Structures are given as C-alpha cells and as structure tokens.
Amino acid sequence: PISSNSQRWLRILLIFSTIFSGFLAGENFDRYFVQIPGFRHVDILCWAQYSKYADLGNGIFLYPIQAMGGFLLLLTSTIIIMRNKSAFESIRFPVYSATFFAAWGLILTIFAAPIMLGLPKLGNDPKLLQQAFDNFHFYGFYRGIVQMMTFVCCVWGLGRMEF
C-alpha cells in the first residue's frame, strides 16, 4: 500500500512542476508566436540589445530556475512513482513523459545557452549577430516545443492524480 506521505509529496511535486513548466511553456509560446516574428522585421541590433537586457538580464536567473527546478521536481516525482509503480499506475506515463521532455529541454539548452551567453562578445557586427539569432532560435524552437510538451504532460498527470 502507498503511504499517504508519498502521495502528498507527489501531489505537491506535480503541482509545482506544472507551475514551472507552465511558465516556460507560456514564455516559449510568446517568444515563438509573437516576439521572433516581430524581431524578423527589425534591425538585428534591436534583437541583440533586447536580448542583452532581457535574456541576459533577469532572464539569466529566471529561466534556469524554471527549467532546472522543474526538471528536478519531475525527476523526484519519477523516483517516487518508480518506487510505487502499482500505486501510481494512472500517472506513470504522463510523469515519465514530462520528465523525458524536461530533460530534452535541458539538453537543447546546452546548445542554445552558449550562443546567448556569447552575445556580448559579438559587438555590433550584424553578420555575427544574425548568425547568433538564427543559431539560438534553431535550438530554441525545438527547446520550446519540448518545454511546451512538458507542460502538457504535467497537466495530464496532475489531471489523472487522485486528490
């Protein structure tokens, strides 16, 4: 039998995983359906300046906390479920899937983050900045997809959890 303590912790972990992944999903949705199409119509220097103040400003703290925090919460949830497989049968697949997608989000960040972190070193060279924009958003687009999938799976798992 499952302890009520494990069930309570799993519920808390899934609620916070859903919140963290929801923030990331919303930020990615906004970025790829609003911001990036807009930035494609302005001078690349505008994107670089915005990114230096946004992504390398408050974003440098917020985004890693959301992504790594959400992944660690999901990993902990996965461990609890693995230890109590039969008790959490109904949420096993959604939580495992969310953990998988969150891990892929971090893997893609390993490729995207150095591009953004290197932005200040590029100066105002439009060619280098355009290359950084294209490369960052190549990885960022796929990262956005897996981060949105993480949220969908978290909601799915939370919806299947007995309260």
Side-chain angles (χ1 to χ4, degrees):
I2 180 74
S3 75
S4 62
N5 197 31
S6 291
Q7 193 164 7
R8 182 178 44 227
W9 273 110
L10 185 57
R11 185 178 306 116
I12 291 167
L13 291 167
L14 283 179
I15 288 169
F16 281 99
S17 298
T18 304
I19 291 168
F20 278 38
S21 65
F23 284 140
L24 282 173
E27 290 157 2
N28 279 296
F29 190 85
D30 176 65
R31 182 174 297 222
Y32 287 99
F33 285 95
V34 177
Q35 293 179 31
I36 297 309
F39 280 125
R40 293 192 190 284
H41 296 283
V42 298
D43 191 281
I44 195 68
L45 295 173
C46 294
W47 169 77
Q49 187 173 17
Y50 171 82
S51 295
K52 287 174 188 174
Y53 289 111
D55 294 310
L56 298 176
N58 292 340
I60 200 140
F61 302 107
L62 182 63
Y63 300 145
I65 289 170
Q66 291 172 343
M68 288 186 284
F71 172 73
L72 292 174
L73 292 167
L74 284 166
L75 185 60
T76 306
S77 299
T78 295
I79 292 167
I80 290 172
I81 292 170
M82 290 176 86
R83 289 186 174 172
N84 304 281
K85 283 182 185 164
S86 61
F88 296 118
E89 180 87 23
S90 66
I91 64 169
R92 214 168 47 185
F93 185 73
V95 173
Y96 290 175
S97 297
T99 306
F100 171 82
F101 286 125
W104 268 105
L106 292 177
I107 290 167
L108 289 166
T109 299
I110 290 170
F111 295 101
I115 298 166
M116 183 59 68
L117 293 171
L119 201 58
K121 297 176 189 166
L122 300 181
N124 291 329
D125 183 328
K127 267 192 171 176
L128 292 176
L129 292 173
Q130 186 64 52
Q131 191 175 44
F133 176 91
D134 293 340
N135 290 336
F136 180 76
H137 293 296
F138 171 80
Y139 294 111
F141 176 76
Y142 294 106
R143 182 179 59 181
I145 290 171
V146 297
Q147 288 175 336
M148 286 188 252
M149 290 303 299
T150 301
F151 175 64
V152 168
C153 291
C154 283
V155 170
W156 178 22
L158 197 57
R160 293 186 61 124
M161 185 156 204
E162 297 175 21
F163 280 86

